[in-house]
Amino acid sequence: MIKFDNVTFQYENAFSPALSNVSLEIPDGEFVAIVGHNGSGKSTLAKHVNGLLLPVTGTVTVNGLDTRVEDNLLKIRQNVGMAFQNPDNQLVTTIVEEDVAFGPENLGVAPSEIRARVDEALADVGMSDYAEFAVHHLSGGQKQRIAIAGILALKPQILVLDEASAMLDPSGRAELLSTVHKLHKQGMTVLMVTQYMEETTGCDRIVVMNRGKIVLTGTPSEVFCHPDLLMESNLVPPEVVTVRDSLKQLGFSLSDNVLTAGQLAEELCPLL
Ligand code: ADP
Ligand code: MG
């Protein structure tokens, strides 16, 4: 569904490329997490998915449409919803349901269809009860879910989140993550940039970036088997994985699938 073919990108005033020879294929329905320390190129990669940035060399295609062909951009952007860090920058009106309706209204969608889309989108993010609430009364996590409802009302097939949880407290982050997992289960293709390694354990695949390059990719169990490679990219695996590995060194036989506290408890208790 999304294909990066040997993509290189350099900002005009920069000394080195922000993306170098990035190739990546994301099939329909996959949930991919992108991790990497600050400046590794995650946002630059995310902005290539909907043509906010265009490759200097190489190609990005979405559903077979090349982002460099201007006539494709409207179609691509209708298909790719983007959520960013600050929910306040993504909400445009004062009332929740008006905000969710804003996108389809601008596209000229019929009012009855808008009503249906707004109700469905609010239900999808678990915010139906808040339809008539004032946006400024919501928590950060709730605002971010409303921002996502606004994206869903445009009916995209792909959701790109660029550190959308970064400004949220732990409960807001948990709300947002479970919403994203729910959308993924309903068939959404998800590309989630995050700085929280714990958020990646339930994804289909993790892509690790360093200095504009993809340095490691695999399932969470595969990626977290390489703490050395992660360290080279200035990343630390989730705490549970570190505890798991320490326990393994003490002789406990634990599988690589242990990535969360629950999974650790499940494997460890019978051994104790
Ligand atoms: P990340 O999202 O992983 O923190 P970015 O994609 O934002 O990384 O940045 C990748 C590289 O590109 C960094 O070296 C950053 O300084 C540089 N960069 C990002 N945005 C711009 C810009 N608008 N102009 C020049 N350089 C930029
Ligand atoms: Mg970024």
Side-chain angles (χ1 to χ4, degrees):
M1 175 160 276
I2 304 168
K3 187 170 180 193
F4 281 65
D5 189 9
N6 215 13
V7 171
T8 296
F9 177 84
Q10 183 152 353
Y11 290 98
E12 261 175 28
N13 47 353
F15 295 112
S16 56
L19 293 181
S20 330
N21 306 108
V22 168
S23 292
L24 177 67
E25 276 188 57
I26 301 177
D28 188 7
E30 194 173 33
F31 187 160
V32 176
I34 311 275
V35 298
H37 68 92
N38 271 343
S40 58
K42 305 180 299 295
S43 294
T44 306
L45 184 144
K47 286 177 184 154
H48 273 76
V49 179
N50 73 345
L52 279 177
L53 296 174
L54 300 173
V56 175
T57 61
T59 50
V60 176
T61 52
V62 178
N63 269 338
L65 299 174
D66 189 331
T67 57
R68 280 178 315 182
V69 177
E70 208 167 325
D71 286 348
N72 289 340
L73 279 181
L74 184 63
K75 235 185 193 159
I76 290 171
R77 288 185 181 151
Q78 283 177 350
N79 211 2
V80 182
M82 298 268 287
F84 298 97
Q85 221 176 71
N86 189 341
D88 290 323
N89 293 345
Q90 300 170 78
L91 301 176
V92 283
T93 73
T94 48
I95 303 296
V96 165
E97 61 184 4
E98 289 172 10
D99 210 277
V100 179
F102 187 81
E105 267 168 5
N106 277 324
L107 287 181
V109 175
S112 60
E113 165 75 11
I114 292 178
R115 183 73 257 168
R117 286 196 192 187
V118 168
D119 291 344
E120 194 184 335
L122 285 174
D124 281 341
V125 300
M127 290 292 286
S128 300
D129 294 345
Y130 295 82
E132 288 166 23
F133 268 53
V135 167
H136 69 268
H137 281 149
L138 303 180
S139 69
Q142 290 172 328
K143 282 184 191 169
Q144 204 57 297
R145 280 150 68 199
I146 296 304
I148 289 176
I151 294 168
L152 296 180
L154 296 168
K155 300 268 173 199
Q157 286 179 292
I158 301 167
L159 180 60
V160 179
L161 301 120
D162 188 356
E163 301 204 20
S165 71
M167 295 180 73
L168 307 182
D169 62 17
S171 70
R173 285 210 299 277
E175 278 171 24
L176 179 65
L177 191 65
S178 78
T179 302
V180 175
H181 275 290
K182 184 179 154 205
L183 294 170
H184 171 237
K185 284 202 186 87
Q186 292 170 4
M188 184 79 82
T189 304
V190 181
L191 193 76
M192 181 179 78
V193 174
T194 181
Q195 53 176 332
Y196 297 102
M197 297 299 251
E198 283 76 8
E199 291 187 346
T200 66
T201 53
C203 296
D204 297 322
R205 186 152 57 116
I206 300 176
V207 170
V208 182
M209 297 197 64
N210 194 11
R211 295 184 193 178
K213 291 192 159 80
I214 293 176
V215 290
L216 184 61
T217 172
T219 63
S221 326
E222 288 163 355
V223 164
F224 294 130
C225 273
H226 299 283
D228 45 335
L229 287 178
L230 290 173
M231 296 268 266
E232 275 173 28
S233 299
N234 288 320
L235 297 171
V236 276
E239 220 167 16
V240 169
V241 172
T242 311
V243 172
R244 174 197 80 189
D245 291 346
S246 305
L247 287 166
K248 277 166 94 168
Q249 282 178 5
L250 291 173
F252 288 94
S253 142
L254 296 165
S255 79
D256 291 341
N257 296 327
V258 169
L259 300 173
T260 65
Q263 290 161 347
L264 179 60
E266 213 168 277
E267 287 203 13
L268 190 57
C269 287
L271 301 176
L272 290 174

